[in-house]
Amino acid sequence: MPENYENILVEKTSAIAVLTINRADKLNALNSGVHREGVAALAELAVDETVRVLVIKGAGEKAFVAGADISEFAAATAAEQRDVMLSRSLFTVLDSFPKPVIAMINGFCLGGGNELAMACDLRICSDKSRFAQPEINLGIICGGGGTQRLTRLIGETRAMQLILTGEMIDAATALDYGLVNAVHAPEELEARTMELANKIAEKAPIALRYSKEAVKLASRSNLDEGLRREIDLFALCFATEDKREGVAAFLEKRKPEFKGR
Ligand code: COA
């Protein structure tokens, strides 16, 4: 893992990797450097067999990510902006990342920040977090999946309200809407998130990967296609050593040790 990132940090503890967006003075706004370095780090983490779960967080006490770096919007051409979003954005790469990803949200989660969180699989936040899609206030619309993922996650009624007004909601409302999985006190956020990450990291990596793929299909295919693909992925699990280990461990009344094979 290269150590010379300027905009992110990547740390590994046992089976968990933590990617920190490291621009606290700009409330971790997503500039092109964060996207470039984040995409490079994700490519390495995807194939690193020691890593089973990824946690993404923002540096500092105030924000997860306060959106796209608005200062870069001033000079960007339409063609450049389209190219970045289509091929080299963190949103795109996270969407097909093969391991579970948890967004740990400890403050402002706005615009591209909320889109980044929604491209993750689980969202755990502190009770001081605030969520919004404020793009409308800049005369633009969401470009990192906001109109699509927010609508799928919380429904058209609520998504339309948030996207058309740009208003912020608090953590309790985000939980009520189903935008986040859990809300914790700020001082407990890290411990509770790592607890969840470790719990998932003990599961069979290939089954986790297929589970992600199948769940994501639910909002991207029709029911018959989704059910059919689920059966294919279920059957593929029967080709793994981990399936043999899981079943044997159950029958022998012991804890399974999954190897990702
Ligand atoms: N892009 C670039 N810089 C940003 C940023 C963003 N999305 N969000 C915050 N910053 C920068 C500020 O410009 C400021 O930099 P400076 O100290 O060099 O002036 C620094 O981060 C701290 O932000 P500040 O606005 O002073 O903090 P605050 O507590 O007064 O307000 C927010 C916090 C989140 C309400 C406010 O920063 C904000 O509205 N940010 C933009 C949110 C947004 O519209 N995001 C969607 C973009 S599509």
mmCIF file of all heavy atoms in Angstrom, residues 154-205:
data_model
loop_
_atom_site.group_PDB
_atom_site.id
_atom_site.type_symbol
_atom_site.label_atom_id
_atom_site.label_comp_id
_atom_site.label_asym_id
_atom_site.label_seq_id
_atom_site.Cartn_x
_atom_site.Cartn_y
_atom_site.Cartn_z
ATOM 1 N N ILE A 154 -34.705 5.641 0.416
ATOM 2 C CA ILE A 154 -35.699 6.237 1.319
ATOM 3 C C ILE A 154 -37.041 6.506 0.642
ATOM 4 O O ILE A 154 -37.966 6.975 1.294
ATOM 5 C CB ILE A 154 -35.168 7.532 1.989
ATOM 6 C CG1 ILE A 154 -35.040 8.696 0.989
ATOM 7 C CG2 ILE A 154 -33.827 7.280 2.671
ATOM 8 C CD1 ILE A 154 -34.654 10.025 1.631
ATOM 9 N N GLY A 155 -37.146 6.213 -0.658
ATOM 10 C CA GLY A 155 -38.421 6.398 -1.356
ATOM 11 C C GLY A 155 -38.514 7.766 -2.020
ATOM 12 O O GLY A 155 -37.850 8.728 -1.617
ATOM 13 N N GLU A 156 -39.379 7.837 -3.042
ATOM 14 C CA GLU A 156 -39.447 9.051 -3.868
ATOM 15 C C GLU A 156 -39.967 10.270 -3.091
ATOM 16 O O GLU A 156 -39.500 11.390 -3.288
ATOM 17 C CB GLU A 156 -40.343 8.790 -5.090
ATOM 18 C CG GLU A 156 -40.344 9.942 -6.058
ATOM 19 C CD GLU A 156 -41.037 9.615 -7.371
ATOM 20 O OE1 GLU A 156 -40.888 8.481 -7.867
ATOM 21 O OE2 GLU A 156 -41.735 10.498 -7.894
ATOM 22 N N THR A 157 -40.928 10.043 -2.194
ATOM 23 C CA THR A 157 -41.525 11.175 -1.470
ATOM 24 C C THR A 157 -40.462 11.939 -0.692
ATOM 25 O O THR A 157 -40.326 13.167 -0.794
ATOM 26 C CB THR A 157 -42.612 10.646 -0.504
ATOM 27 O OG1 THR A 157 -43.549 9.887 -1.265
ATOM 28 C CG2 THR A 157 -43.325 11.780 0.207
ATOM 29 N N ARG A 158 -39.692 11.190 0.097
ATOM 30 C CA ARG A 158 -38.678 11.835 0.942
ATOM 31 C C ARG A 158 -37.470 12.300 0.125
ATOM 32 O O ARG A 158 -36.909 13.365 0.393
ATOM 33 C CB ARG A 158 -38.234 10.860 2.028
ATOM 34 C CG ARG A 158 -39.327 10.686 3.065
ATOM 35 C CD ARG A 158 -39.122 9.477 3.932
ATOM 36 N NE ARG A 158 -39.989 9.546 5.099
ATOM 37 C CZ ARG A 158 -40.198 8.542 5.920
ATOM 38 N NH1 ARG A 158 -39.625 7.371 5.708
ATOM 39 N NH2 ARG A 158 -40.992 8.694 6.966
ATOM 40 N N ALA A 159 -37.065 11.511 -0.858
ATOM 41 C CA ALA A 159 -35.914 11.904 -1.689
ATOM 42 C C ALA A 159 -36.233 13.208 -2.421
ATOM 43 O O ALA A 159 -35.400 14.118 -2.502
ATOM 44 C CB ALA A 159 -35.584 10.797 -2.686
ATOM 45 N N MET A 160 -37.440 13.308 -2.958
ATOM 46 C CA MET A 160 -37.818 14.515 -3.704
ATOM 47 C C MET A 160 -37.753 15.733 -2.782
ATOM 48 O O MET A 160 -37.236 16.788 -3.163
ATOM 49 C CB MET A 160 -39.227 14.322 -4.261
ATOM 50 C CG MET A 160 -39.573 15.217 -5.411
ATOM 51 S SD MET A 160 -38.555 14.896 -6.875
ATOM 52 C CE MET A 160 -39.589 13.787 -7.809
ATOM 53 N N GLN A 161 -38.245 15.579 -1.555
ATOM 54 C CA GLN A 161 -38.204 16.683 -0.576
ATOM 55 C C GLN A 161 -36.754 17.142 -0.342
ATOM 56 O O GLN A 161 -36.436 18.328 -0.403
ATOM 57 C CB GLN A 161 -38.826 16.186 0.739
ATOM 58 C CG GLN A 161 -38.614 17.072 1.947
ATOM 59 C CD GLN A 161 -39.759 18.033 2.189
ATOM 60 O OE1 GLN A 161 -40.846 17.851 1.644
ATOM 61 N NE2 GLN A 161 -39.528 19.049 2.997
ATOM 62 N N LEU A 162 -35.869 16.171 -0.076
ATOM 63 C CA LEU A 162 -34.478 16.527 0.238
ATOM 64 C C LEU A 162 -33.764 17.128 -0.973
ATOM 65 O O LEU A 162 -33.016 18.100 -0.844
ATOM 66 C CB LEU A 162 -33.703 15.294 0.718
ATOM 67 C CG LEU A 162 -34.105 14.724 2.077
ATOM 68 C CD1 LEU A 162 -33.182 13.579 2.473
ATOM 69 C CD2 LEU A 162 -34.063 15.801 3.153
ATOM 70 N N ILE A 163 -34.008 16.563 -2.153
ATOM 71 C CA ILE A 163 -33.268 17.006 -3.343
ATOM 72 C C ILE A 163 -33.781 18.359 -3.859
ATOM 73 O O ILE A 163 -33.011 19.198 -4.302
ATOM 74 C CB ILE A 163 -33.315 15.897 -4.426
ATOM 75 C CG1 ILE A 163 -32.411 14.736 -3.974
ATOM 76 C CG2 ILE A 163 -32.882 16.420 -5.792
ATOM 77 C CD1 ILE A 163 -32.526 13.468 -4.786
ATOM 78 N N LEU A 164 -35.087 18.586 -3.748
ATOM 79 C CA LEU A 164 -35.622 19.860 -4.249
ATOM 80 C C LEU A 164 -35.397 21.023 -3.289
ATOM 81 O O LEU A 164 -35.330 22.179 -3.708
ATOM 82 C CB LEU A 164 -37.120 19.733 -4.553
ATOM 83 C CG LEU A 164 -37.513 18.744 -5.658
ATOM 84 C CD1 LEU A 164 -39.000 18.850 -5.970
ATOM 85 C CD2 LEU A 164 -36.694 18.956 -6.932
ATOM 86 N N THR A 165 -35.277 20.733 -1.999
ATOM 87 C CA THR A 165 -35.078 21.829 -1.026
ATOM 88 C C THR A 165 -33.624 21.993 -0.616
ATOM 89 O O THR A 165 -33.229 23.056 -0.146
ATOM 90 C CB THR A 165 -35.882 21.585 0.270
ATOM 91 O OG1 THR A 165 -35.338 20.412 0.921
ATOM 92 C CG2 THR A 165 -37.364 21.393 0.000
ATOM 93 N N GLY A 166 -32.819 20.931 -0.702
ATOM 94 C CA GLY A 166 -31.434 20.984 -0.216
ATOM 95 C C GLY A 166 -31.350 21.012 1.295
ATOM 96 O O GLY A 166 -30.272 21.206 1.857
ATOM 97 N N GLU A 167 -32.478 20.809 1.997
ATOM 98 C CA GLU A 167 -32.482 20.959 3.463
ATOM 99 C C GLU A 167 -31.737 19.825 4.163
ATOM 100 O O GLU A 167 -31.645 18.718 3.636
ATOM 101 C CB GLU A 167 -33.930 21.040 3.980
ATOM 102 C CG GLU A 167 -34.696 19.744 3.861
ATOM 103 C CD GLU A 167 -36.215 19.899 4.064
ATOM 104 O OE1 GLU A 167 -36.722 21.037 4.020
ATOM 105 O OE2 GLU A 167 -36.881 18.866 4.243
ATOM 106 N N MET A 168 -31.248 20.157 5.369
ATOM 107 C CA MET A 168 -30.514 19.160 6.152
ATOM 108 C C MET A 168 -31.465 18.412 7.075
ATOM 109 O O MET A 168 -32.398 18.991 7.613
ATOM 110 C CB MET A 168 -29.475 19.836 7.053
ATOM 111 C CG MET A 168 -28.211 20.200 6.343
ATOM 112 S SD MET A 168 -26.918 20.619 7.536
ATOM 113 C CE MET A 168 -25.988 21.805 6.559
ATOM 114 N N ILE A 169 -31.195 17.124 7.264
ATOM 115 C CA ILE A 169 -31.911 16.348 8.276
ATOM 116 C C ILE A 169 -30.911 15.870 9.329
ATOM 117 O O ILE A 169 -29.713 15.728 9.053
ATOM 118 C CB ILE A 169 -32.669 15.132 7.672
ATOM 119 C CG1 ILE A 169 -31.730 14.212 6.871
ATOM 120 C CG2 ILE A 169 -33.841 15.600 6.826
ATOM 121 C CD1 ILE A 169 -32.375 12.880 6.469
ATOM 122 N N ASP A 170 -31.423 15.633 10.545
ATOM 123 C CA ASP A 170 -30.535 15.186 11.623
ATOM 124 C C ASP A 170 -30.436 13.657 11.626
ATOM 125 O O ASP A 170 -31.099 12.972 10.829
ATOM 126 C CB ASP A 170 -30.998 15.747 12.983
ATOM 127 C CG ASP A 170 -32.392 15.278 13.373
ATOM 128 O OD1 ASP A 170 -32.908 14.301 12.774
ATOM 129 O OD2 ASP A 170 -32.983 15.884 14.279
ATOM 130 N N ALA A 171 -29.622 13.152 12.541
ATOM 131 C CA ALA A 171 -29.344 11.708 12.559
ATOM 132 C C ALA A 171 -30.601 10.890 12.876
ATOM 133 O O ALA A 171 -30.814 9.825 12.281
ATOM 134 C CB ALA A 171 -28.257 11.411 13.591
ATOM 135 N N ALA A 172 -31.434 11.399 13.799
ATOM 136 C CA ALA A 172 -32.642 10.649 14.167
ATOM 137 C C ALA A 172 -33.567 10.523 12.952
ATOM 138 O O ALA A 172 -34.165 9.459 12.707
ATOM 139 C CB ALA A 172 -33.361 11.344 15.322
ATOM 140 N N THR A 173 -33.679 11.595 12.176
ATOM 141 C CA THR A 173 -34.522 11.557 10.971
ATOM 142 C C THR A 173 -33.911 10.607 9.934
ATOM 143 O O THR A 173 -34.635 9.836 9.283
ATOM 144 C CB THR A 173 -34.679 12.978 10.384
ATOM 145 O OG1 THR A 173 -35.109 13.851 11.419
ATOM 146 C CG2 THR A 173 -35.666 13.011 9.240
ATOM 147 N N ALA A 174 -32.591 10.656 9.800
ATOM 148 C CA ALA A 174 -31.919 9.756 8.836
ATOM 149 C C ALA A 174 -32.181 8.295 9.209
ATOM 150 O O ALA A 174 -32.394 7.444 8.335
ATOM 151 C CB ALA A 174 -30.423 10.043 8.808
ATOM 152 N N LEU A 175 -32.204 8.012 10.507
ATOM 153 C CA LEU A 175 -32.483 6.638 10.953
ATOM 154 C C LEU A 175 -33.942 6.284 10.650
ATOM 155 O O LEU A 175 -34.251 5.212 10.116
ATOM 156 C CB LEU A 175 -32.205 6.511 12.463
ATOM 157 C CG LEU A 175 -32.369 5.109 13.047
ATOM 158 C CD1 LEU A 175 -31.318 4.153 12.474
ATOM 159 C CD2 LEU A 175 -32.253 5.140 14.576
ATOM 160 N N ASP A 176 -34.820 7.226 10.946
ATOM 161 C CA ASP A 176 -36.246 7.013 10.692
ATOM 162 C C ASP A 176 -36.514 6.784 9.193
ATOM 163 O O ASP A 176 -37.333 5.946 8.812
ATOM 164 C CB ASP A 176 -37.013 8.240 11.208
ATOM 165 C CG ASP A 176 -38.497 8.137 10.941
ATOM 166 O OD1 ASP A 176 -39.059 7.071 11.228
ATOM 167 O OD2 ASP A 176 -39.086 9.102 10.404
ATOM 168 N N TYR A 177 -35.785 7.486 8.335
ATOM 169 C CA TYR A 177 -35.955 7.347 6.888
ATOM 170 C C TYR A 177 -35.327 6.062 6.341
ATOM 171 O O TYR A 177 -35.541 5.705 5.190
ATOM 172 C CB TYR A 177 -35.286 8.524 6.158
ATOM 173 C CG TYR A 177 -36.060 9.824 6.169
ATOM 174 C CD1 TYR A 177 -37.208 10.000 6.929
ATOM 175 C CD2 TYR A 177 -35.625 10.905 5.405
ATOM 176 C CE1 TYR A 177 -37.893 11.209 6.930
ATOM 177 C CE2 TYR A 177 -36.310 12.109 5.392
ATOM 178 C CZ TYR A 177 -37.442 12.253 6.168
ATOM 179 O OH TYR A 177 -38.112 13.439 6.155
ATOM 180 N N GLY A 178 -34.468 5.424 7.148
ATOM 181 C CA GLY A 178 -33.759 4.245 6.647
ATOM 182 C C GLY A 178 -32.515 4.610 5.848
ATOM 183 O O GLY A 178 -31.974 3.788 5.105
ATOM 184 N N LEU A 179 -32.046 5.838 6.021
ATOM 185 C CA LEU A 179 -30.817 6.252 5.329
ATOM 186 C C LEU A 179 -29.592 5.690 6.038
ATOM 187 O O LEU A 179 -28.579 5.410 5.408
ATOM 188 C CB LEU A 179 -30.763 7.791 5.267
ATOM 189 C CG LEU A 179 -29.560 8.439 4.596
ATOM 190 C CD1 LEU A 179 -29.392 7.959 3.156
ATOM 191 C CD2 LEU A 179 -29.701 9.967 4.615
ATOM 192 N N VAL A 180 -29.669 5.544 7.372
ATOM 193 C CA VAL A 180 -28.545 4.969 8.134
ATOM 194 C C VAL A 180 -29.018 3.728 8.872
ATOM 195 O O VAL A 180 -30.215 3.564 9.153
ATOM 196 C CB VAL A 180 -27.934 5.989 9.132
ATOM 197 C CG1 VAL A 180 -27.356 7.186 8.403
ATOM 198 C CG2 VAL A 180 -28.931 6.417 10.201
ATOM 199 N N ASN A 181 -28.035 2.876 9.212
ATOM 200 C CA ASN A 181 -28.365 1.635 9.930
ATOM 201 C C ASN A 181 -28.459 1.836 11.428
ATOM 202 O O ASN A 181 -29.230 1.147 12.100
ATOM 203 C CB ASN A 181 -27.289 0.574 9.667
ATOM 204 C CG ASN A 181 -27.261 0.164 8.230
ATOM 205 O OD1 ASN A 181 -26.668 0.850 7.404
ATOM 206 N ND2 ASN A 181 -27.921 -0.919 7.896
ATOM 207 N N ALA A 182 -27.635 2.751 11.960
ATOM 208 C CA ALA A 182 -27.612 2.947 13.412
ATOM 209 C C ALA A 182 -27.050 4.314 13.740
ATOM 210 O O ALA A 182 -26.287 4.892 12.958
ATOM 211 C CB ALA A 182 -26.760 1.859 14.068
ATOM 212 N N VAL A 183 -27.459 4.829 14.922
ATOM 213 C CA VAL A 183 -26.955 6.109 15.421
ATOM 214 C C VAL A 183 -26.347 5.858 16.796
ATOM 215 O O VAL A 183 -26.967 5.184 17.631
ATOM 216 C CB VAL A 183 -28.111 7.137 15.572
ATOM 217 C CG1 VAL A 183 -27.572 8.474 16.080
ATOM 218 C CG2 VAL A 183 -28.863 7.325 14.265
ATOM 219 N N HIS A 184 -25.134 6.384 17.026
ATOM 220 C CA HIS A 184 -24.476 6.206 18.321
ATOM 221 C C HIS A 184 -24.004 7.551 18.852
ATOM 222 O O HIS A 184 -23.846 8.518 18.093
ATOM 223 C CB HIS A 184 -23.255 5.286 18.172
ATOM 224 C CG HIS A 184 -23.602 3.912 17.690
ATOM 225 N ND1 HIS A 184 -24.381 3.038 18.425
ATOM 226 C CD2 HIS A 184 -23.294 3.259 16.538
ATOM 227 C CE1 HIS A 184 -24.525 1.911 17.744
ATOM 228 N NE2 HIS A 184 -23.889 2.020 16.592
ATOM 229 N N ALA A 185 -23.723 7.593 20.156
ATOM 230 C CA ALA A 185 -23.095 8.783 20.736
ATOM 231 C C ALA A 185 -21.717 8.930 20.083
ATOM 232 O O ALA A 185 -21.074 7.913 19.783
ATOM 233 C CB ALA A 185 -22.950 8.602 22.239
ATOM 234 N N PRO A 186 -21.250 10.172 19.867
ATOM 235 C CA PRO A 186 -19.968 10.369 19.176
ATOM 236 C C PRO A 186 -18.822 9.577 19.801
ATOM 237 O O PRO A 186 -17.997 9.008 19.080
ATOM 238 C CB PRO A 186 -19.729 11.879 19.307
ATOM 239 C CG PRO A 186 -21.081 12.467 19.455
ATOM 240 C CD PRO A 186 -21.919 11.453 20.183
ATOM 241 N N GLU A 187 -18.804 9.498 21.142
ATOM 242 C CA GLU A 187 -17.671 8.814 21.802
ATOM 243 C C GLU A 187 -17.740 7.293 21.634
ATOM 244 O O GLU A 187 -16.765 6.595 21.880
ATOM 245 C CB GLU A 187 -17.567 9.210 23.288
ATOM 246 C CG GLU A 187 -18.762 8.875 24.151
ATOM 247 C CD GLU A 187 -19.894 9.914 24.096
ATOM 248 O OE1 GLU A 187 -19.890 10.785 23.208
ATOM 249 O OE2 GLU A 187 -20.811 9.817 24.944
ATOM 250 N N GLU A 188 -18.883 6.788 21.186
ATOM 251 C CA GLU A 188 -19.009 5.332 20.991
ATOM 252 C C GLU A 188 -18.942 4.922 19.522
ATOM 253 O O GLU A 188 -18.897 3.734 19.198
ATOM 254 C CB GLU A 188 -20.372 4.854 21.533
ATOM 255 C CG GLU A 188 -20.422 4.797 23.028
ATOM 256 C CD GLU A 188 -21.745 4.208 23.505
ATOM 257 O OE1 GLU A 188 -22.512 3.658 22.689
ATOM 258 O OE2 GLU A 188 -22.002 4.323 24.701
ATOM 259 N N LEU A 189 -18.957 5.932 18.644
ATOM 260 C CA LEU A 189 -19.109 5.635 17.209
ATOM 261 C C LEU A 189 -18.043 4.685 16.680
ATOM 262 O O LEU A 189 -18.359 3.681 16.024
ATOM 263 C CB LEU A 189 -19.109 6.948 16.411
ATOM 264 C CG LEU A 189 -19.219 6.789 14.894
ATOM 265 C CD1 LEU A 189 -20.561 6.183 14.500
ATOM 266 C CD2 LEU A 189 -19.020 8.142 14.202
ATOM 267 N N GLU A 190 -16.783 4.983 16.993
ATOM 268 C CA GLU A 190 -15.694 4.181 16.430
ATOM 269 C C GLU A 190 -15.755 2.739 16.955
ATOM 270 O O GLU A 190 -15.671 1.782 16.171
ATOM 271 C CB GLU A 190 -14.339 4.816 16.759
ATOM 272 C CG GLU A 190 -13.210 4.023 16.164
ATOM 273 C CD GLU A 190 -12.002 4.862 15.818
ATOM 274 O OE1 GLU A 190 -11.951 6.058 16.184
ATOM 275 O OE2 GLU A 190 -11.111 4.298 15.167
ATOM 276 N N ALA A 191 -15.922 2.595 18.272
ATOM 277 C CA ALA A 191 -15.933 1.243 18.860
ATOM 278 C C ALA A 191 -17.098 0.423 18.301
ATOM 279 O O ALA A 191 -16.936 -0.753 17.936
ATOM 280 C CB ALA A 191 -16.028 1.339 20.378
ATOM 281 N N ARG A 192 -18.261 1.047 18.191
ATOM 282 C CA ARG A 192 -19.428 0.299 17.717
ATOM 283 C C ARG A 192 -19.291 -0.052 16.232
ATOM 284 O O ARG A 192 -19.742 -1.112 15.786
ATOM 285 C CB ARG A 192 -20.719 1.103 17.971
ATOM 286 C CG ARG A 192 -20.963 1.422 19.437
ATOM 287 C CD ARG A 192 -21.187 0.180 20.300
ATOM 288 N NE ARG A 192 -22.417 -0.516 19.967
ATOM 289 C CZ ARG A 192 -23.616 -0.225 20.471
ATOM 290 N NH1 ARG A 192 -23.745 0.758 21.346
ATOM 291 N NH2 ARG A 192 -24.675 -0.905 20.112
ATOM 292 N N THR A 193 -18.674 0.856 15.468
ATOM 293 C CA THR A 193 -18.475 0.580 14.037
ATOM 294 C C THR A 193 -17.484 -0.565 13.855
ATOM 295 O O THR A 193 -17.703 -1.469 13.030
ATOM 296 C CB THR A 193 -17.971 1.845 13.298
ATOM 297 O OG1 THR A 193 -18.892 2.905 13.545
ATOM 298 C CG2 THR A 193 -17.867 1.608 11.800
ATOM 299 N N MET A 194 -16.392 -0.542 14.642
ATOM 300 C CA MET A 194 -15.396 -1.605 14.513
ATOM 301 C C MET A 194 -15.957 -2.948 14.982
ATOM 302 O O MET A 194 -15.625 -3.995 14.438
ATOM 303 C CB MET A 194 -14.114 -1.247 15.298
ATOM 304 C CG MET A 194 -13.368 -0.059 14.728
ATOM 305 S SD MET A 194 -13.142 -0.074 12.928
ATOM 306 C CE MET A 194 -11.671 -1.054 12.779
ATOM 307 N N GLU A 195 -16.837 -2.887 15.975
ATOM 308 C CA GLU A 195 -17.512 -4.105 16.450
ATOM 309 C C GLU A 195 -18.300 -4.738 15.288
ATOM 310 O O GLU A 195 -18.222 -5.938 15.035
ATOM 311 C CB GLU A 195 -18.501 -3.669 17.535
ATOM 312 C CG GLU A 195 -18.742 -4.604 18.673
ATOM 313 C CD GLU A 195 -19.607 -3.883 19.706
ATOM 314 O OE1 GLU A 195 -19.048 -3.225 20.595
ATOM 315 O OE2 GLU A 195 -20.862 -3.957 19.595
ATOM 316 N N LEU A 196 -19.034 -3.894 14.586
ATOM 317 C CA LEU A 196 -19.821 -4.370 13.440
ATOM 318 C C LEU A 196 -18.897 -4.895 12.338
ATOM 319 O O LEU A 196 -19.144 -5.966 11.754
ATOM 320 C CB LEU A 196 -20.678 -3.214 12.907
ATOM 321 C CG LEU A 196 -21.476 -3.478 11.633
ATOM 322 C CD1 LEU A 196 -22.536 -4.562 11.866
ATOM 323 C CD2 LEU A 196 -22.153 -2.193 11.150
ATOM 324 N N ALA A 197 -17.812 -4.155 12.071
ATOM 325 C CA ALA A 197 -16.868 -4.562 11.019
ATOM 326 C C ALA A 197 -16.266 -5.924 11.357
ATOM 327 O O ALA A 197 -16.156 -6.805 10.492
ATOM 328 C CB ALA A 197 -15.772 -3.507 10.866
ATOM 329 N N ASN A 198 -15.895 -6.112 12.615
ATOM 330 C CA ASN A 198 -15.293 -7.395 13.031
ATOM 331 C C ASN A 198 -16.295 -8.546 12.939
ATOM 332 O O ASN A 198 -15.928 -9.661 12.561
ATOM 333 C CB ASN A 198 -14.736 -7.282 14.452
ATOM 334 C CG ASN A 198 -13.366 -6.629 14.444
ATOM 335 O OD1 ASN A 198 -12.440 -7.114 13.794
ATOM 336 N ND2 ASN A 198 -13.233 -5.502 15.120
ATOM 337 N N LYS A 199 -17.525 -8.251 13.282
ATOM 338 C CA LYS A 199 -18.567 -9.278 13.196
ATOM 339 C C LYS A 199 -18.702 -9.761 11.743
ATOM 340 O O LYS A 199 -18.776 -10.973 11.470
ATOM 341 C CB LYS A 199 -19.889 -8.661 13.674
ATOM 342 C CG LYS A 199 -21.060 -9.582 13.760
ATOM 343 C CD LYS A 199 -22.248 -8.762 14.249
ATOM 344 C CE LYS A 199 -23.431 -9.604 14.600
ATOM 345 N NZ LYS A 199 -24.512 -8.767 15.167
ATOM 346 N N ILE A 200 -18.714 -8.825 10.811
ATOM 347 C CA ILE A 200 -18.855 -9.188 9.395
ATOM 348 C C ILE A 200 -17.583 -9.863 8.887
ATOM 349 O O ILE A 200 -17.648 -10.817 8.097
ATOM 350 C CB ILE A 200 -19.193 -7.937 8.546
ATOM 351 C CG1 ILE A 200 -20.558 -7.386 8.964
ATOM 352 C CG2 ILE A 200 -19.193 -8.263 7.056
ATOM 353 C CD1 ILE A 200 -20.908 -6.036 8.373
ATOM 354 N N ALA A 201 -16.416 -9.405 9.390
ATOM 355 C CA ALA A 201 -15.128 -9.943 8.911
ATOM 356 C C ALA A 201 -14.964 -11.423 9.250
ATOM 357 O O ALA A 201 -14.149 -12.105 8.631
ATOM 358 C CB ALA A 201 -13.979 -9.133 9.503
ATOM 359 N N GLU A 202 -15.733 -11.911 10.223
ATOM 360 C CA GLU A 202 -15.633 -13.341 10.575
ATOM 361 C C GLU A 202 -16.386 -14.239 9.594
ATOM 362 O O GLU A 202 -16.234 -15.453 9.608
ATOM 363 C CB GLU A 202 -16.240 -13.563 11.967
ATOM 364 C CG GLU A 202 -15.379 -13.034 13.089
ATOM 365 C CD GLU A 202 -16.020 -13.283 14.438
ATOM 366 O OE1 GLU A 202 -17.122 -13.881 14.486
ATOM 367 O OE2 GLU A 202 -15.415 -12.871 15.433
ATOM 368 N N LYS A 203 -17.226 -13.648 8.768
ATOM 369 C CA LYS A 203 -18.041 -14.455 7.844
ATOM 370 C C LYS A 203 -17.213 -14.887 6.625
ATOM 371 O O LYS A 203 -16.110 -14.415 6.408
ATOM 372 C CB LYS A 203 -19.258 -13.652 7.365
ATOM 373 C CG LYS A 203 -20.039 -12.925 8.453
ATOM 374 C CD LYS A 203 -20.709 -13.865 9.417
ATOM 375 C CE LYS A 203 -21.517 -13.074 10.459
ATOM 376 N NZ LYS A 203 -21.828 -13.878 11.649
ATOM 377 N N ALA A 204 -17.811 -15.755 5.825
ATOM 378 C CA ALA A 204 -17.103 -16.285 4.650
ATOM 379 C C ALA A 204 -17.005 -15.209 3.553
ATOM 380 O O ALA A 204 -18.036 -14.716 3.080
ATOM 381 C CB ALA A 204 -17.838 -17.506 4.117
ATOM 382 N N PRO A 205 -15.782 -14.822 3.165
ATOM 383 C CA PRO A 205 -15.609 -13.713 2.210
ATOM 384 C C PRO A 205 -16.337 -13.888 0.877
ATOM 385 O O PRO A 205 -16.906 -12.928 0.346
ATOM 386 C CB PRO A 205 -14.093 -13.659 2.003
ATOM 387 C CG PRO A 205 -13.529 -14.212 3.277
ATOM 388 C CD PRO A 205 -14.486 -15.282 3.703
#
